[in-house]
Amino acid sequence: MTEQTGGSQSASKGTVHLVHLYPREMSIYGDLGNTRALASRLRWHGYTPVVHDHHPGADWPDEAHLLLGGGGQDSGQLRVQEDLDRHADRLRELAADGLPMLMICGMYQLFGQAFITVEGRRLPGLRILDVTTTGNATRMIGPVVLDTDAGQVVGYENHSGATVLGQGQAPFGSVVAGQGNNGTDGTEGARTGNVIGSYLHGPILPANPVLADHLLEIAVTRATGQWQPEQLDDSTAQQAHQRQVMRLLAADRRSTSRVGRLLPRR
């Protein structure tokens, strides 16, 4: 399904095509909000967004300037596997060409080397990101703060898969609060070129407008040749973002202090 959500073409600075991969099967944790946030911000910046919902078996849209994918259950990943394999070469070519992509949770896992379900079934990934994920019985759930190239990013993780980065694979961010890829190595997500994989739901983009505009700048430049943003009032989102950072860092300091008091004195 394709939806043009912009105003009049005559007033538009240009048309930008967003492709949401498998919104029925792989967007069950509110990640549809990322697509809506980008479409809204495109309109506010004076551009015309066209959203393509790509479902299994559908033809690929003629134009794509930014790709999004969300989280889902293991059964959802099984349902999209065949279609993802059908478009694998195209997706790898687009990633290598610098197309911006944001893949959350289940789609992040499928963009890696492989996802091994909790039952031991191995699903091959697209190998765009050098990560391997193994399903676990224990979930990692809770709010997260990251240090990233786009500044501090906040979100909410909810995943049972534990992801390990390959040698040389850059993470999306360093964990300041939360558990991240696997709860042990301090990394969260992965980034290769303009492809970002992450476990942060929330959804992540409405809570982090700087990251949203970072992706849009790349997409709009590819679509129109230049990025001409408007001055948007993000004060409410920025206040919520900052309060979340302060709250989690304060909780982390209290936890560290409490652990320190429990340690035996030498």
Side-chain angles (χ1 to χ4, degrees):
M1 182 180 72
T2 299
E3 180 183 7
Q4 181 168 318
T5 60
S8 64
Q9 288 287 333
S10 60
S12 174
K13 298 175 184 174
T15 299
V16 181
H17 293 259
L18 310 176
V19 180
H20 188 156
L21 298 174
Y22 317 121
R24 289 188 303 229
E25 295 83 2
M26 302 297 295
S27 188
I28 67 171
Y29 297 116
D31 301 317
L32 174 61
N34 290 328
T35 304
R36 290 176 173 169
L38 290 177
S40 293
R41 294 189 73 82
L42 280 169
R43 287 195 299 272
W44 299 339
H45 283 304
Y47 298 90
T48 301
V50 178
V51 177
H52 306 267
D53 288 342
H54 177 74
H55 300 293
D59 293 334
W60 191 256
D62 292 336
E63 293 189 86
H65 302 121
L66 197 156
L67 266 60
L68 298 126
Q73 297 177 330
D74 290 359
S75 58
Q77 292 179 279
L78 290 170
R79 287 198 294 274
V80 306
Q81 187 70 36
E82 183 177 345
D83 188 77
L84 197 61
D85 186 59
R86 187 162 69 96
H87 296 289
D89 288 343
R90 184 194 305 270
L91 289 168
R92 284 192 283 264
E93 289 171 2
L94 291 172
D97 189 48
L99 194 86
M101 305 182 186
L102 177 65
M103 297 297 143
I104 302 298
C105 200
M107 288 303 297
Y108 162 41
Q109 296 168 349
L110 291 176
F111 266 52
Q113 297 288 335
F115 173 60
I116 303 165
T117 70
V118 69
E119 295 85 9
R121 180 171 179 177
R122 183 183 181 89
L123 304 180
L126 294 176
R127 304 188 306 280
I128 291 173
L129 299 169
D130 187 9
V131 302
T132 301
T133 302
T134 303
N136 292 298
T138 303
R139 300 193 72 83
M140 289 175 263
I141 303 174
V144 180
V145 176
L146 307 176
D147 282 335
T148 77
D149 291 342
Q152 283 194 317
V153 169
V154 301
Y156 192 90
E157 62 183 334
N158 182 0
H159 57 106
S160 60
T163 298
V164 176
L165 305 181
Q167 188 174 13
Q169 172 63 61
F172 170 48
S174 301
V175 176
V176 177
Q179 300 186 75
N181 277 324
N182 49 56
T184 59
D185 66 6
T187 68
E188 203 290 323
R191 179 166 190 165
T192 297
N194 293 324
V195 179
I196 296 174
S198 174
Y199 278 115
L200 268 61
H201 299 286
I204 182 174
L205 293 183
N208 299 277
V210 172
L211 177 61
D213 278 1
H214 168 71
L215 293 170
L216 287 181
E217 179 176 2
I218 303 168
V220 170
T221 302
R222 292 176 66 94
T224 71
Q226 59 182 337
W227 169 235
Q228 295 179 304
E230 300 294 327
Q231 290 293 321
L232 304 184
D233 180 6
D234 289 322
S235 56
T236 301
Q238 289 170 352
Q239 289 175 18
H241 179 284
Q242 192 58 28
R243 288 179 182 177
Q244 178 76 324
V245 171
M246 293 173 63
R247 183 178 72 84
L248 292 177
L249 294 186
D252 186 64
R253 285 194 294 271
R254 287 196 298 272
S255 176
T256 302
S257 176
R258 184 165 57 251
V259 171
R261 289 199 301 273
L262 294 175
L263 290 174
R265 294 183 178 179
R266 297 180 181 276

